Amino acid sequence: MTKDITKITPYNSDATKKSQVEDMFDNIAPKYDLLNRVLSLKIDVLWRNTLVKWMKNDNPQEVLDVATGTGDLAITIEKGTGSKVIGLDLSQQMLNVGVIKIKKLKLDGKISMQKGDAENLPFEDNRFDAVSVAFGVRNFENLKKGLAELRRVVKDNKSVYILEFSKVEGFMGPLYMFYFKNILPAIGRLVSKDNRAYTYLPDSVNAFPFGEKMKQILLDTGFKKVEYKKLSLGIATIYKATK
């Protein structure tokens, strides 16, 4: 039986999921980029590039990147589309790392970073030409509320792009799950010194709806059209939800 994604939390404490997620990313922020590259074998770079190529067809002028973390997707969007990007994240420590990266790339005039809550976005309705979230919607405390907020701030006939882990199906599934549940958390603990963060990752992925289930949730949220692309045998999926 699949667990409720809202009940999967990083630290199993009495704090809210939102508070635990913020603490977790604050804890692992200094090592986050290194771990991402090592654990994904840099495939995450390809995934972000694929999302931006899809988004580029919309010719966006201003994009909101929710759960921006250290800004990797925000940077890829700016480079790929030339648009102005606002990166928003719950974790100040992740944002601090991102601000340094953006300044080094001399993109601080095109990309701004701010602390904020995806489920209570501080922006007016119908503001953005596109909204993106990479590996963030799993961490929403209230998935439907978060998705509704993403829809609220994107313009009519424009799209929300969600890049999220899914599940490898077929003969590669068991092999990948062994890596995901055993090897990945061990490396994560060793490098980040956070005993729970990289155990939470496979737990939350296992509980998260993907494919047709996620498409239906997005349609139920009010999007008029939802498309999706599986990446790398289904390890991740990009959803394009049009308002």
Side-chain angles (χ1 to χ4, degrees):
M1 185 176 175
T2 304
K3 292 183 178 179
D4 180 355
I5 185 64
T6 62
K7 301 293 192 291
I8 306 294
T9 57
Y11 299 118
N12 300 319
S13 73
D14 292 333
T16 64
K17 177 173 181 174
K18 194 173 296 182
S19 177
Q20 291 184 53
V21 166
E22 181 178 0
D23 288 346
M24 178 186 72
F25 282 110
D26 279 347
N27 289 341
I28 66 176
K31 301 291 186 181
Y32 181 81
D33 284 340
L34 170 64
L35 276 165
N36 249 13
R37 300 297 176 266
V38 170
L39 295 173
S40 73
L41 305 175
K42 291 192 175 181
I43 297 172
D44 62 309
V45 175
L46 176 65
W47 295 341
R48 280 190 290 274
N49 286 336
T50 302
L51 185 155
V52 171
K53 283 179 184 175
W54 204 0
M55 181 188 288
K56 190 176 181 181
N57 294 329
D58 295 346
N59 191 30
Q61 302 304 303
E62 186 177 37
V63 178
L64 173 65
D65 184 40
V66 174
T68 195
T70 62
D72 278 343
L73 182 54
I75 291 166
T76 308
I77 290 168
E78 194 285 327
K79 288 183 174 181
T81 68
S83 60
K84 179 182 176 184
V85 184
I86 297 175
L88 180 137
D89 201 274
L90 201 59
S91 166
Q92 187 61 54
Q93 296 305 317
M94 293 283 278
L95 289 167
N96 291 346
V97 174
V99 167
I100 293 168
K101 284 162 63 172
I102 288 163
K103 284 183 178 177
K104 282 183 179 177
L105 292 168
K106 295 182 170 55
L107 293 174
D108 40 322
K110 296 296 297 285
I111 303 172
S112 59
M113 304 284 266
Q114 69 181 74
K115 183 174 167 61
D117 178 2
E119 294 167 47
N120 296 282
L121 293 172
F123 306 106
E124 65 271 22
D125 296 357
N126 307 303
R127 165 152 175 194
F128 296 97
D129 301 303
V131 175
S132 61
V133 191
F135 309 114
V137 292
R138 279 178 302 107
N139 301 322
F140 289 178
E141 189 167 76
N142 184 324
L143 177 60
K144 291 182 179 178
K145 184 179 179 185
L147 295 176
E149 275 291 271
L150 304 181
R151 181 183 177 279
R152 180 182 66 78
V153 300
V154 77
K155 292 176 180 175
D156 287 341
N157 300 310
K158 298 296 185 179
S159 301
V160 172
Y161 292 83
I162 296 170
L163 170 58
E164 189 52 87
F165 287 113
S166 42
K167 291 180 185 175
V168 177
E169 297 175 301
F171 74 97
M172 287 293 291
L175 182 64
Y176 179 72
M177 283 311 300
F178 178 81
Y179 167 78
F180 210 48
K181 288 186 72 70
N182 297 282
I183 298 171
L184 182 149
I187 297 171
R189 282 193 296 271
L190 184 67
V191 177
S192 72
K193 309 301 182 186
D194 189 307
N195 288 329
R196 178 62 186 156
Y198 287 87
T199 304
Y200 165 74
L201 176 59
D203 287 350
S204 62
V205 170
N206 277 332
F208 192 75
F210 67 98
E212 287 297 310
K213 287 184 179 178
M214 183 61 175
K215 177 179 178 178
Q216 190 58 53
I217 290 170
L218 288 162
L219 289 170
D220 291 345
T221 304
F223 290 99
K224 67 180 181 181
K225 182 182 179 184
V226 179
E227 308 161 76
Y228 63 90
K229 295 179 180 180
K230 291 182 179 180
L231 307 171
S232 305
L233 301 174
I235 295 174
T237 302
I238 301 172
Y239 304 86
K240 178 183 179 181
T242 304
K243 182 173 174 177

